[in-house]
């Protein structure tokens, strides 16, 4: 399975996926390209350090559709089977989603459907929840929507700030994302309506 990863920043989830594929923790898989819309993304050098092709496809001054189509073209050139969003800070156009139906996944720092969108950790604190976490889900054309593949729970402590909660959730994100991509790579994950079902 050829994996393409989209990033906008530090790329820590990208690193977790690259390392898991290289160590065969995610079997029969390879991250073949990392693409960023941000030329200053720290994750670009981390990808190159691991021997993975890293591209910058800037969005500045372009429509979302034009930008997305260039990324889709780059992914198709490399025969990518699965697209992983790892801190990619732009909503995908319907054209992008339709180019890889049910083959795009994202990780979000909350237990969806609670707290979609930006500042999910602060939303959780403001709401006073006792449990938050992260969700890996299939991407559709709606924000932080789509069938859920894996979730990991994290306790929200009374003295948490958005930053301390985010740091603990991030540790779980690395585990959850690798687990989700392993399930996809196995070929035993299927989508039934708004649910995913794993056989075996």
């Amino acid at each position: 399975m050829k994996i393409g990863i989209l990033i906008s920043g530090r790329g820590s989830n990208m690193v977790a996926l690259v390392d898991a594929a290289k160590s065969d923790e995610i079997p029969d898989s390879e991250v073949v390209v990392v693409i960023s819309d941000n030329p200053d993304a720290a994750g670009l050098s981390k990808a190159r350090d691991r021997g993975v092709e890293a591209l910058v496809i800037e969005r500045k001054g372009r429509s979302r559709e034009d930008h997305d189509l260039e990324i889709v073209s780059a992914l198709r050139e490399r025969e990518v089977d699965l697209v992983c969003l790892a801190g990619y800070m732009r909503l995908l156009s319907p054209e992008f989603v339709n180019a890889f139906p049910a083959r795009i996944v994202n990780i979000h720092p909350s237990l969806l459907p609670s707290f979609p969108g930006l500042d999910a950790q602060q939303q959780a604190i403001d709401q006073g929840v006792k449990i938050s976490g992260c969700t890996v889900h299939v991407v559709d054309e709606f924000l932080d929507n789509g069938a859920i593949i894996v979730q990991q729970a994290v306790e929200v402590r009374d003295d948490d700030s958005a930053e301390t909660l985010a740091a603990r959730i991030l540790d779980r994100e690395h585990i959850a994302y690798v687990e989700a991509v392993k399930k996809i790579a196995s070929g035993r994950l299927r989508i039934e309506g708004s649910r995913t079902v794993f056989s075996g």
Side-chain angles (χ1 to χ4, degrees):
M1 185 174 71
K2 293 183 177 181
I3 301 169
I5 303 179
L6 306 191
I7 65 170
S8 293
R10 62 192 168 189
S12 70
N13 275 305
M14 174 272 295
V15 167
L17 293 175
V18 170
D19 290 351
K22 283 186 176 295
S23 70
D24 215 33
E25 185 180 355
I26 303 172
D28 304 316
S29 298
E30 178 189 7
V31 177
V32 295
V33 67
V34 171
I35 300 175
S36 179
D37 60 338
N38 172 16
D40 300 319
L44 290 166
S45 60
K46 295 175 186 175
R48 294 182 185 119
D49 288 346
R50 286 161 172 78
V52 178
E53 181 184 16
L55 303 177
V56 176
I57 300 178
E58 286 197 67
R59 68 187 190 189
K60 194 179 295 182
R62 307 170 66 186
S63 71
R64 184 173 64 170
E65 288 73 17
D66 283 349
H67 184 243
D68 279 4
L69 287 172
E70 186 175 346
I71 296 174
V72 167
S73 177
L75 294 168
R76 283 179 167 160
E77 282 175 24
R78 289 154 183 84
E79 300 179 333
V80 165
D81 302 301
L82 179 71
V83 181
C84 296
L85 309 184
Y88 186 66
M89 302 305 292
R90 198 173 209 201
L91 188 64
L92 300 183
S93 64
E95 290 83 3
F96 195 133
V97 174
N98 292 334
F100 296 93
R103 302 302 288 176
I104 307 172
V105 292
N106 181 49
I107 189 155
H108 182 74
S110 77
L111 296 176
L112 291 173
S114 297
F115 315 127
L118 296 174
D119 303 318
Q121 302 92 337
Q122 188 63 54
Q123 290 184 59
I125 289 170
D126 291 347
Q127 196 64 37
V129 300
K130 301 303 182 185
I131 301 291
S132 188
C134 59
T135 303
V136 184
H137 65 96
V138 178
V139 172
D140 60 18
E141 61 267 39
F142 302 106
L143 177 66
D144 297 328
N145 198 56
I148 291 168
I149 304 170
V150 169
Q151 292 184 305
Q152 288 259 346
V154 173
E155 179 187 3
V156 181
R157 299 170 183 163
D158 292 342
D159 60 351
D160 262 330
S161 65
E163 292 74 23
T164 59
L165 178 59
R168 291 204 314 286
I169 290 175
L170 186 62
D171 288 340
R172 296 294 182 87
E173 287 181 34
H174 301 159
I175 297 166
Y177 220 161
V178 169
E179 180 186 346
V181 176
K182 279 172 66 174
K183 287 186 172 187
I184 295 166
S186 75
R188 298 199 301 272
L189 188 77
R190 66 185 189 277
I191 298 173
E192 295 182 354
S194 60
R195 299 172 63 238
T196 58
V197 178
F198 184 67
S199 55

